[in-house]
Structures are given as structure tokens and as C-alpha cells.
Amino acid sequence: MDNLTHSIIGFGVGELVHRSLPAEADSLSQRVRHRLLLVSCALASNFPDLDLFLTKLLPAPLGYLLNHRGHTHTVAWAVPQALLLAFLLWLCWPGGRALLRTSRSARLGFALSVGIGFVLHLAMDYTNSYGVHPWYPMSGRWFYGDMVFIVEPLFWMAIGVPMALIMRWRTLRVAGLAGLLAALLFFVMRGYLGWISLAVLLLIALLCGYAQWRAGPQGRGGLLLALGISLAFIAVQGVASQQARAQLTAALEARDPHARVIDIAMTAFPSQPLCWRYASIASDGQRYSVQGGVTSLAGVVCPATLAVQSDSISFSGSLQELRTLKASNCRADAWLRFGRIPLLANGELSDYRFSTTPRGNFTTMPVTQASSCPQGVPAWDYPRADLF
């Protein structure tokens, strides 16, 4: 997920943890705990993305592909990262340190906020089609949720509106609500979000905001409703993704009975469970074919900006050529530890999942043999080991 979404979710969960604990002995301690839990959960929800500083350890694009969502996005490294973040907050926050020494509920809330924040980051990153490999070093297998768009405004509205209403100062409340509305309108005007989706998001915002207002100054009603709506949305997206994948698999194999569909990467539209962009790979044993396009359930019209007009085989290549390249080119072998829908064409490797990104395909890499092999390549499993 994008870091704005990670932050909004982290702030919302930190607020919910704070409101679920017994109050501190005095108002000053209560305010310190409030700030401490919000900041710690929001930071923990973003902390694993510090692996972006590791992308220079390998030549482009390998550094980003193999080191982002790398070791810091594993369960094994979550514990030392959580301890490091907790130590830094303890060291740099004298008021928080004093409170943690004396308050059991603050210590419990602090531990929950940091721990849940890291779990949320890995879980939310799993939900989209980029993938994570959380069980390394026990297993280097990639896991793809294929459920939620990487920038999902539903979380902004469901969680952001109650959080804006909770703010102490009226100016900040108004600015927060206006910013959320402006972001939605920007998505609509750019063609990323449909008008029906906008209406549903505004309704969700009103429901969560009203529930939080009814809950009172110390209530949790809006936040709990936002959490429930968010979880329900992810579940609906998961079911819709599986339904769309099953329909696509049947249609693609009916079109070419000699080829077997190996994988279909599903990319959601923002706040639209009925629209999906897909990239598929199939093989007949000798050749592989890559195809991409948009599919919709129930015949809905999908937002124009994300609806690419492609519903035919986009590329077909030799499996033996791909296998030979993997065996003979160490940079290509490293790249194939990331590529889920690999495409070898015009002397370049690229992952077809990202063929329609606005700034071009960031996975593209020339396959000319380098003078030396890259060092320190992570031992992630090959997503397309079934082709080799």
C-alpha cells in the first residue's frame, strides 16, 4: 500500500487502542499516552518501507525489485524492527519514557500499537498484486493477495473521517475533512474513480462520522465501524477477485484449448469490486503467452483511465529461450526471482503486471550480459519456477 494509507490505518488503530485502555491518572498523562500510541502505531505501520534505502545495493532495476518488500517485510525481521522502533521512541521521547515507567496501561498500549502496526504493514502489502514473502528464511515463496488497489480511498474515508472529527482544533477538523473530499474529487476528475464509487464512499464517510459523533468524546463507535467496513471490503474484494479469475481462466483456456493458464495477476480498481485489470501467462509446453486487459463482473462500465483496451494475446515467446536466458545470464536469473508475469521481448525482460503504469514499466531490464554478477541477491523463490 501507499504510505498515506499505511499512516491513516496506523493512526486509526493507535487511536482505537488508546480509547480501549483505562484512562491515565491525570489529564497530562492521558494526552502523552494519546500522542505516544498514535505516533508509535503510525510509525510502525510505515517502518518496513525503510528498505527503500537498500535499493542501491543492487543495480537498477534489481535493487528496487528485490530489496523493496524484502527482508524488512518478513515475520522474522518484524520483531527486531519493532524492538528498534520501541527503543528509538523511548530514547527520543522523554515524556513518553517517564509515562512508560509508571503506567502499566501505557506500556500495554505501546506494545500493542507497535506490534499491531508491523502486522498491519505486512498484511496490507499482501492484499495487492505486488506480493510479499513473509516466511523467509523458512520459505522464500511469494504470496499475492490480488485484492486491493495499492492506493485505496475507502480506507481514507472510513478511517480518516472519524479521525478528523476526533481532532481537538476545529481548523484541523475542517482541513482534514476538506482534504479527504478534495482527494476523492481528484480521483474522479482524473478518471480513476467512478461516480457510483464516489457516492458509496461519501455514504461510508457519513456513516462512520455519524457513528463517531454519536459515540461521544471518548467513544469508539466510528472507529469500530470503520474497521468493520474495511475488513468487509477486503473480504468482498477477495471474493470478487477469485470470481473474476475463474471466469478469465475458463475464457482463456476455451480460446486456446492447447494452452494451460499458469497464473493470472489481478489488479483491483479503486473502490470498485466489479472491475479488474489482469495480466495472465499461459503455456502449451513449448511456448508461453502473455495477455492483459480489463474484465468486469455484472457488465459494469469501468473507469476510463484504468481501463486498457487489450483483450488479445499481447506476446508469445519460446520457453526454451527463457530457460536458456535464466541459465546463462546471472542478472536475468536475479530478475526472475521477482518476475511473476515475465515477458522477454526486444532484448528486455519486463513484468507484464506493470505494463500500463503511468510512468512506464519500472521492471524493464536489458538482458545484455554484465561483466560481473550482482552480489547479495536475496534468495527469494522464483515466482515462475513452474516454467523452468
Side-chain angles (χ1 to χ4, degrees):
M1 303 300 293
D2 68 290
N3 291 102
L4 176 60
T5 303
H6 280 308
S7 298
I8 290 175
I9 294 173
F11 280 126
V13 172
E15 183 74 40
L16 188 57
V17 171
H18 170 70
R19 289 171 177 249
S20 300
L21 294 170
E24 298 296 328
D26 56 83
S27 59
L28 177 60
S29 297
Q30 185 76 350
R31 288 197 298 271
V32 171
R33 190 185 80 185
H34 186 205
R35 291 193 294 267
L36 178 64
L37 299 195
L38 262 66
V39 170
S40 61
C41 196
L43 288 177
S45 294
N46 286 279
F47 204 84
D49 279 343
L50 289 176
D51 61 10
L52 290 170
F53 289 104
L54 304 177
T55 57
K56 300 298 184 182
L57 297 178
L58 289 169
L62 295 177
Y64 184 87
L65 303 183
L66 297 177
N67 283 326
H68 180 45
R69 296 208 187 179
H71 294 92
T72 61
H73 287 66
T74 63
V75 172
W77 276 92
V79 173
Q81 286 181 98
L83 293 174
L84 174 60
L85 176 59
F87 172 74
L88 291 174
L89 288 168
W90 172 277
L91 186 67
C92 300
W93 198 327
R97 183 166 66 244
L99 178 64
L100 291 171
R101 285 194 177 112
T102 59
S103 172
R104 180 180 178 182
S105 62
R107 290 193 294 270
L108 174 60
F110 184 57
L112 287 173
S113 295
V114 172
I116 293 173
F118 277 94
V119 172
L120 284 172
H121 188 104
L122 269 63
M124 295 309 297
D125 277 359
Y126 160 73
T127 61
N128 55 57
S129 62
Y130 193 101
V132 290
H133 26 66
W135 307 119
Y136 187 84
M138 288 76 72
S139 169
R141 178 187 171 189
W142 287 86
F143 290 85
Y144 308 99
D146 287 3
M147 291 183 286
V148 178
F149 192 64
I150 195 168
V151 181
E152 178 46 67
L154 179 133
F155 302 125
W156 303 357
M157 302 307 292
I159 300 172
V161 168
M163 288 299 296
L165 295 176
I166 286 168
M167 292 179 181
R168 293 175 60 191
W169 295 284
R170 183 174 182 273
T171 302
L172 289 180
R173 291 198 298 270
V174 172
L177 294 172
L180 290 170
L181 179 59
L184 280 191
L185 293 177
F186 174 80
F187 266 58
V188 172
M189 300 310 294
R190 292 295 300 270
Y192 292 107
L193 193 66
W195 290 102
I196 294 177
S197 296
L198 173 65
V200 173
L201 289 174
L202 291 175
L203 176 61
I204 288 171
L206 288 173
L207 289 174
C208 293
Y210 178 72
Q212 189 59 42
W213 176 75
R214 284 292 304 272
Q218 301 303 318
R220 304 173 298 169
L223 294 171
L224 289 171
L225 178 60
L227 179 62
I229 289 175
S230 297
L231 292 174
F233 171 74
I234 293 173
V236 169
Q237 291 283 118
V239 172
S241 175
Q242 292 300 319
Q243 181 68 23
R245 178 183 281 110
Q247 291 184 10
L248 284 168
T249 299
L252 292 171
E253 291 186 342
R255 185 177 301 170
D256 185 359
H258 301 291
R260 176 177 64 91
V261 174
I262 298 171
D263 192 12
I264 303 178
M266 305 295 295
T267 300
F269 278 54
S271 303
Q272 176 49 283
L274 300 180
C275 287
W276 296 86
R277 195 169 61 205
Y278 71 91
S280 67
I281 185 166
S283 173
D284 61 5
Q286 301 296 320
R287 300 186 64 80
Y288 70 97
S289 59
V290 172
Q291 181 171 314
V294 167
T295 187
S296 67
L297 301 173
V300 301
V301 178
C302 299
T305 299
L306 294 174
V308 293
Q309 300 301 317
S310 174
D311 194 31
S312 59
I313 291 177
S314 301
F315 180 83
S316 178
S318 166
L319 273 178
Q320 186 56 49
E321 183 181 6
L322 195 61
R323 292 165 180 164
T324 300
L325 179 67
K326 177 184 180 299
S328 62
N329 188 309
C330 55
R331 293 183 74 246
D333 179 78
W335 186 95
L336 287 166
R337 292 186 182 275
F338 171 85
R340 180 182 177 187
I341 311 292
L343 187 156
L344 175 60
N346 303 318
E348 294 180 329
L349 270 173
S350 59
D351 192 316
Y352 203 67
R353 282 179 292 175
F354 308 105
S355 61
T356 58
T357 51
R359 298 182 180 179
N361 195 330
F362 62 89
T363 69
T364 300
M365 183 187 75
V367 294
T368 54
Q369 183 67 58
S371 57
S372 61
C373 292
Q375 300 299 309
V377 174
W380 317 136
D381 289 357
Y382 301 98
R384 290 279 65 84
D386 42 17
L387 290 181
F388 307 126

